[in-house]
Amino acid sequence: MGGMTTTTPAMRPLRVLVADDNPLNLRLATRILRDMGHSGVLVGDGHKALEALRAQTFDLVLMDVTMPGMDGVEALRELRAREAAGMQRRTPVIMVTAYDLPEDRRRLLDAGADGYVAKPLDAERLAAEIRRVLG
């Protein structure tokens, strides 16, 4: 029994912004990230996600598509516009959605998402997508 984790062998600890309005989803995402050796900062909507991204540096964003106020797609488009304008550095974004249809995936990638996972969050699937997105 070694101290090595089998989920993400060669990955350094990441600082992840998790944007979701559902407390259960936030708790689940936090637990999965912690088990992978990463730390999460939690926010409840797109406006708060953009504020956090303006104020702090993150390695990755996990963004729920459906949130009140400003949804994940709006927040993603705004973030990509800021990055294109040179207002902040580019941050990889994995969208989290309940809808897993090809047209949904296309819409999210067109909006600037780097990756995509379906709900309910699955530790192995999320780990694989994080590895894929961060190369």
Side-chain angles (χ1 to χ4, degrees):
M1 284 291 214
M4 286 295 290
T5 169
T6 53
T7 27
T8 51
M11 191 171 283
R12 66 183 172 81
L14 301 174
R15 194 154 184 276
V16 183
L17 177 65
V18 182
D20 196 313
D21 62 310
N22 182 317
L24 260 58
N25 293 338
L26 287 172
R27 257 200 310 276
L28 178 60
T30 305
R31 196 177 72 232
I32 291 171
L33 289 169
R34 199 175 41 236
D35 288 349
M36 292 167 61
H38 308 313
S39 63
V41 172
L42 314 178
V43 295
D45 65 47
H47 290 291
K48 290 189 181 81
L50 289 171
E51 282 172 28
L53 284 158
R54 191 182 295 126
Q56 304 169 53
T57 302
F58 295 93
D59 298 301
L60 179 70
V61 179
L62 279 185
M63 179 100 65
D64 185 29
V65 170
T66 313
M67 295 182 284
M70 176 184 270
D71 73 22
V73 177
E74 280 180 86
L76 175 62
R77 286 195 178 112
E78 175 63 27
L79 173 64
R80 293 301 183 232
R82 287 180 188 177
E83 292 166 349
M87 295 161 66
Q88 61 191 80
R89 75 175 190 91
R90 192 176 191 291
T91 305
V93 177
I94 294 175
M95 299 301 285
V96 180
T97 180
Y99 308 104
D100 194 10
L101 299 167
E103 57 268 23
D104 295 312
R105 178 176 290 125
R106 197 165 33 255
R107 181 175 70 99
L108 297 174
L109 295 175
D110 287 349
D114 297 280
Y116 171 103
V117 288
K119 288 180 185 177
L121 276 182
D122 170 79
E124 288 304 312
R125 239 190 351 246
L126 181 59
E129 189 67 348
I130 290 173
R131 279 193 301 270
R132 189 192 68 74
V133 164
L134 297 180

